Amino acid sequence: MDVETIRARLSALPISEIQYLPETYSTNDDAMAWAQAGAPEGVVVIADKQLKGRGRLGRMWVTQPGTSLAFSMIFRPTLEEIEKLSLFSPLGALAVAVALEDLGLSPEIKWPNDVLLSRKKVCGVLAETVWMGSHINGVVLGIGINVATGSVPDSNMLLFPATCVESELGKPVDRLSLLESVLRHLIEWRKQIRTERFIEEWKKRLAFLGEKVTVQKPDGEITGRFQDVDEHGALVLSVEEQYHTIFAGDVKLRPLEE
Ligand code: BT5
């Protein structure tokens, strides 16, 4: 990858600026700093290797050079979008899922922010809020995708089984074509982020919906039926005829082992 090739391949998309880094700590950190310094909507930071890729809740994300995709995009949400800011993480997952479907794959979304192929994690999404004093003035959406075989970390580093796009597809995948496709779907679906259709399309790809699951929260576990998601993307769990609404960001979801 080099910046000229990336710019040429993404030239048809409404992206305001592209930064390519062969190596960085975290593209989300870079994009957050750039957003705080006033970068406009549509800036994208792409790296070939991350030294300190981040997941949620202080967890790590592994990005191997030459085989993974790691990038972050800056959004400047409208006031109406700020009311539903929690939908930016689903936006990332939906864009990746649709891009994988375009390749002929059948991805699922593991609530709220993972994309799975054959029930193994192929992509993680990290949405972070940019604050200006006490006001929200941006979202940085970071996406990591395992593309080729070397991108999949050792299983002892993982909380959940992982895979990569090429293993599932059985043939090579061009990283820049996949990047272009994800960004295109991201930009298109963002226009619909407040619509019912957006939630429906996200929901229809959710893994474990209707199944019995255990949700792990920092304050303990809760088991019930994954009943639904609400208009903010929160998970609705039914436990003994009572509904519990669980918000994104502080939970993990696993199928119940039985
Ligand atoms: C995520 O967090 O899945 C969000 C990952 C977001 C990564 C992107 S890359 C570009 C941008 N820059 C960043 O620094 N981050 C974003 P979470 O749901 O917390 O999952 C983290 C867990 O995923 C880890 O604890 C590992 O178990 C597992 N994991 C780490 N690297 C992986 C990989 N390459 N493939 C599959 N699973 C992985």
Side-chain angles (χ1 to χ4, degrees):
M1 282 209 271
D2 65 84
V3 74
E4 294 315 323
T5 314
I6 296 172
R7 284 205 177 114
R9 296 286 291 276
L10 303 182
S11 60
L13 299 177
I15 290 174
S16 46
E17 221 173 313
I18 295 166
Q19 186 177 52
Y20 170 66
L21 302 158
E23 187 175 295
T24 190
Y25 285 98
S26 154
T27 57
N28 258 43
D29 288 348
D30 299 330
M32 286 293 279
W34 204 350
Q36 260 140 7
E41 156 114 9
V43 162
V44 180
V45 182
I46 303 160
D48 191 36
K49 179 179 179 183
Q50 292 188 115
L51 300 167
K52 239 180 165 177
R54 293 190 287 110
R56 294 174 306 144
L57 308 171
R59 293 190 289 246
M60 53 88 199
W61 180 262
V62 178
T63 304
Q64 306 282 16
T67 56
S68 314
L69 276 174
F71 57 95
S72 303
M73 187 166 191
I74 298 174
F75 292 91
R76 297 292 184 188
T78 61
L79 284 177
E80 290 77 25
E81 286 173 336
I82 287 175
E83 284 166 20
K84 291 199 175 167
L85 210 62
S86 51
L87 293 181
F88 275 86
S89 184
L91 169 68
L94 180 61
V96 172
V98 176
L100 294 175
E101 285 164 11
D102 290 348
L103 292 175
L105 292 162
S106 303
E108 291 178 291
I109 297 171
K110 177 168 161 283
W111 184 91
N113 68 325
D114 294 346
V115 182
L116 310 180
L117 286 172
S118 309
R119 294 249 152 142
K120 295 182 211 142
K121 183 161 172 171
V122 70
C123 158
V125 177
L126 178 66
E128 294 184 298
T129 307
V130 185
W131 293 87
M132 177 74 100
S134 56
H135 297 284
I136 292 170
N137 81 345
V139 173
V140 165
L141 191 58
I143 297 183
I145 307 175
N146 300 333
V147 183
T149 345
S151 60
V152 181
D154 283 347
S155 56
N156 60 6
M157 298 173 74
L158 301 173
L159 301 166
F160 195 86
T163 189
C164 67
V165 183
E166 289 191 359
S167 300
E168 300 299 323
L169 197 61
K171 59 179 185 191
V173 172
D174 180 52
R175 275 193 302 164
L176 284 186
S177 302
L178 184 58
L179 174 68
E180 192 275 337
S181 173
V182 173
L183 288 171
R184 188 162 30 83
H185 289 302
L186 211 49
I187 292 162
E188 281 310 309
W189 278 104
R190 189 274 176 93
K191 295 178 192 156
Q192 301 192 51
I193 196 164
R194 294 183 72 252
T195 64
E196 271 176 35
R197 176 154 181 253
F198 174 85
I199 294 279
E200 272 165 31
E201 291 294 323
W202 175 61
K203 186 170 152 180
K204 130 174 149 192
R205 293 168 173 85
L206 283 173
F208 315 122
L209 188 62
E211 294 176 32
K212 213 172 174 191
V213 293
T214 296
V215 180
Q216 295 183 336
K217 305 191 288 175
D219 59 350
E221 285 190 354
I222 179 166
T223 295
R225 190 159 303 282
F226 183 177
Q227 201 70 35
D228 206 353
V229 282
D230 74 8
E231 78 209 78
H232 294 279
L235 184 153
V236 181
L237 197 72
S238 67
V239 186
E240 290 165 6
E241 322 236 317
Q242 284 211 329
Y243 290 113
H244 296 250
T245 303
I246 298 164
F247 294 93
D250 63 345
V251 292
K252 235 163 46 179
L253 182 81
R254 282 193 178 141
L256 192 66
E257 286 164 21
E258 271 178 334

